[in-house]
Amino acid sequence: MIKVLLADDQALVRAGFRALLDAQPDIEVVGEAGDGEEAVDQARRLRPDVILMDIRMPGLDGLEATRRIASDERLGGVRIVILTTFELDEYVFEALRGGAGGFLVKDTEPVELIHAVRAVAAGDALLSPSVTRRLIAEFATRAKAPSPSPRLNALTEREREVMTLVGEGLTNEEIAARLVVSPATAKTHVSRTMVKLGARDRAQLVVFAYESGLVKPGWLS
């Protein structure tokens, strides 16, 4: 059973999500929070598998709540999905950098919300390649010029290559095809790279690829 915590300051939004998710045989909404402070407290008390976190809430917002939860070692297994009104929300990039595993727009189709909860709970990448490319490229262009990170020295040449492809939004299967290796091998390289860099999940690996300069913001054009 996938345990979900809903964090949104609008009771009607929480009620709609609860009704949808509780109707699934493998998902249970174990708690609700109306602000970021309550979300952090509930996360520590309930230890949910997935938190659907509104990015804009009164008091402590979803961005800071995400940072606090992601930095708590006791909550290492908790995955956070940011809820936003706009795909290219300026705070979404900061949320990914802070530890969120992906994001959803609030008007997403019900079937997509259910899929997202299951995918994140299973440890899979939630961001689609197209959304990853558009989002990260948009905000990486506004960031300061990246400087070489000494953390990259821990990676092998193949791992750097794999990390670059992850940053470009490729799936494990696409990486395998590009490098002419098996999908299992590609997944192993991605996992090892995440461990070496201390990345919480694939989304953070994408952010790091841009911030370290492995992927250039203008590569889409």
Side-chain angles (χ1 to χ4, degrees):
M1 186 67 71
I2 302 170
K3 298 184 296 183
V4 177
L5 171 64
L6 304 175
D8 194 296
D9 62 327
Q10 298 182 48
L12 191 59
V13 171
R14 297 198 307 270
F17 283 164
R18 175 182 279 275
L20 176 65
L21 296 174
D22 275 344
Q24 307 306 309
D26 58 337
I27 301 175
E28 177 188 9
V29 175
V30 295
E32 298 183 20
D35 58 52
E37 198 76 54
E38 190 177 2
V40 175
D41 291 340
Q42 293 259 36
R44 289 171 177 161
R45 184 172 63 86
L46 299 172
R47 305 291 176 90
D49 300 303
V50 178
I51 301 176
L52 296 181
M53 179 87 74
D54 185 16
I55 206 164
R56 290 183 172 85
M57 292 185 287
L60 190 73
D61 63 16
L63 185 59
E64 181 57 29
T66 294
R67 289 196 187 107
R68 294 188 186 184
I69 293 170
S71 64
D72 191 331
E73 293 183 357
R74 297 168 297 176
L75 303 178
V78 177
R79 295 290 173 258
I80 301 171
V81 177
I82 292 295
L83 298 173
T84 181
T85 306
F86 308 104
E87 275 193 358
L88 293 182
D89 189 314
E90 62 181 301
Y91 295 107
V92 169
F93 185 69
E94 289 299 325
L96 295 176
R97 180 186 282 131
F103 76 97
L104 289 171
V105 289
K106 285 189 174 182
D107 62 353
T108 188
E109 293 294 326
V111 66
E112 293 179 10
L113 174 65
I114 295 168
H115 168 74
V117 168
R118 289 173 176 151
V120 171
D124 295 335
L126 175 58
L127 299 180
S128 69
S130 62
V131 170
T132 299
R133 289 193 290 263
R134 191 164 69 251
L135 176 75
I136 303 298
E138 169 72 19
F139 293 107
T141 57
R142 305 179 188 181
K144 62 182 180 180
S147 56
S149 172
R151 296 167 68 187
L152 291 178
N153 295 334
L155 303 182
T156 65
E157 283 302 315
R158 175 48 61 93
E159 287 166 348
R160 289 191 185 205
E161 190 175 11
V162 167
M163 182 174 166
T164 300
L165 297 177
V166 170
E168 293 179 1
L170 273 64
T171 64
N172 287 345
E173 288 72 19
E174 290 169 336
I175 292 173
R178 181 78 64 87
L179 301 180
V180 195
V181 298
S182 71
T185 298
K187 183 176 181 179
T188 297
H189 284 311
V190 171
S191 298
R192 287 177 178 169
T193 302
M194 288 171 57
V195 169
K196 287 184 177 181
L197 295 176
R200 182 179 173 89
D201 52 32
R202 196 183 186 96
Q204 280 201 319
L205 197 60
V206 172
V207 171
F208 191 81
Y210 273 87
E211 292 187 330
S212 64
L214 277 182
V215 178
K216 302 299 188 294
W219 71 272
L220 276 177
S221 57

